[in-house]
Amino acid sequence: MKEITLTVAEYNLAGCSNIDINTLTLTSKPLLVLLHGWQDNAATFASLWPLLTQHYNVIAFDWPGHGKSDHKNGDNYYHFVDYIDDLHQVITQLKHEKVYLIGHSLGAIVAGCYAAVFPEYVDKIVLIEGLSPLTENPDMIVERLRVGIVSRQRYRQRQQRLKQRSMASFTEALHLRASANQLPLSLLDAVVKRATVERDGRWYWRHDPRLRCDSLYRMAQQHAQALLSSINAPVLSIIGDSGYASVYKSDVSEWGIQDFTQVMVSGGHHCHLQSSSDVYRHIRTFIPTEFD
């Protein structure tokens, strides 16, 4: 996988691909666009890259404020719906008829919403440990706005300290991330390498501290339902046997998704790291090529 840069309206997104995106034309290989989760980066799929690139064209990029991508300018923040806009800007500049979206966590939620809103660009979607946008009772709107705005003010008051927070070594950063995710160090090495930068003997996180500010708005259940029930593309949901309970659906009819399959693999919320071979096997079955 080679480093690439995708230019959207306000910033550059860093990414990785096994193809030259500037000369990409229609080929017999399906094009997979990999979408990572909140405070992860494109390298969360690194263990899948050598498997997927045998049969597919692959693009994985860092969301704005994540990994090696630019941070948003000025006093801008990271609204969930803006990720859908970012994805649309990426997809519309690719010279490909339709793409296959593979998302983890936040990336899975974005993939589902995008497939509902722009079905003409999407063939199939794979959702790893993610399904519905976060929802809450409409009665929470006042409290949600208050908490979100207060969190922004708190960030502004301590932004310099947050940006200057550093670690003595890469190993310290790796241990911190492994502790937070409760995963072995070896599974997170690539992610942490892409998430950190060394300056003058100290290690810093690349991600924008504003990512941790609370949301100003969350959808009501009816809004999420309307989005998911509008997905026409076939959906494969991959969940970990010890992952988030909220993504397990014994009865998917409540969401109204027309073509939905859910499979379980060993692992937790990052089951694509813990069970890469099984995740790959399910993707290969779900997205065949003309050579199969």
Side-chain angles (χ1 to χ4, degrees), residues 11 17 28 38 53 56 96 126 150 156 163 167 172 196 200 222-223 228 243 270 292:
Y11 28 74
S17 183
S28 56
W38 178 69
T53 53
Y56 307 106
H96 217 273
V126 178
V150 168
R156 295 183 188 107
K163 289 177 180 178
M167 296 150 289
E172 181 184 345
T196 54
D200 301 323
Q222 297 93 321
H223 296 152
L228 294 180
H270 287 79
D292 293 328

Side-chain angles (χ1 to χ4, degrees), residues 20-248:
D20 183 350
I21 60 171
N22 296 314
T23 59
L24 177 63
T25 56
L26 290 175
T27 69
S28 56
K29 288 186 177 181
L31 175 60
L32 310 184
V33 179
L34 311 185
L35 311 173
H36 68 80
W38 178 69
Q39 289 203 117
D40 275 348
N41 54 61
T44 192
F45 299 108
S47 59
L48 289 170
W49 290 343
L51 301 171
L52 294 174
T53 53
Q54 297 176 70
H55 307 281
Y56 307 106
N57 292 331
V58 178
I59 293 173
F61 65 88
D62 302 328
W63 292 117
H66 294 75
K68 298 181 179 181
S69 287
D70 290 346
H71 295 185
K72 290 193 174 183
N73 295 324
D75 201 30
N76 291 315
Y77 290 83
Y78 297 85
H79 304 283
F80 167 73
V81 292
D82 286 339
Y83 292 115
I84 302 170
D85 180 21
D86 294 325
L87 178 58
H88 188 56
Q89 291 182 69
V90 169
I91 288 179
T92 52
Q93 65 184 272
L94 300 176
K95 299 181 178 68
H96 217 273
E97 194 170 276
K98 282 194 173 185
V99 303
Y100 297 81
L101 299 178
I102 299 178
H104 169 245
S105 194
L106 167 67
I109 299 171
V110 174
C113 291
Y114 186 82
V117 177
F118 293 103
E120 66 270 29
Y121 291 101
V122 180
D123 200 314
K124 295 181 178 180
I125 57 176
V126 178
L127 311 181
I128 304 171
E129 276 287 304
L131 182 58
S132 169
L134 296 178
T135 64
E136 63 186 11
N137 192 298
D139 292 344
M140 289 294 296
I141 185 64
V142 173
E143 181 65 15
R144 169 62 51 192
L145 275 171
R146 179 183 176 87
V147 168
I149 291 171
V150 168
S151 76
R152 292 183 177 191
Q153 188 63 18
R154 187 165 54 245
Y155 159 75
R156 295 183 188 107
Q157 291 169 351
R158 58 179 183 170
Q159 60 178 317
Q160 289 306 315
R161 181 164 60 86
L162 288 172
K163 289 177 180 178
Q164 292 169 2
R165 183 180 294 170
S166 65
M167 296 150 289
S169 65
F170 172 79
T171 301
E172 181 184 345
L174 184 57
H175 276 274
L176 285 171
R177 181 59 192 265
S179 176
N181 291 142
Q182 295 296 294
L183 289 171
L185 300 177
S186 59
L187 294 183
L188 290 167
D189 187 81
V191 175
V192 177
K193 281 179 179 174
R194 196 170 182 87
T196 54
V197 60
E198 186 269 334
R199 293 193 299 267
D200 301 323
R202 301 290 298 181
W203 290 81
Y204 298 82
W205 295 110
R206 290 180 182 270
H207 63 255
D208 191 336
R210 287 174 292 180
L211 289 167
R212 300 187 67 86
C213 290
D214 288 285
S215 172
L216 300 185
Y217 167 78
R218 280 191 183 162
M219 294 183 189
Q221 179 73 17
Q222 297 93 321
H223 296 152
Q225 172 73 52
L227 278 167
L228 294 180
S229 64
S230 297
I231 298 174
N232 294 319
V235 178
L236 171 64
S237 167
I238 301 177
I239 61 174
D241 59 8
S242 57
Y244 287 174
S246 59
V247 298
Y248 171 68

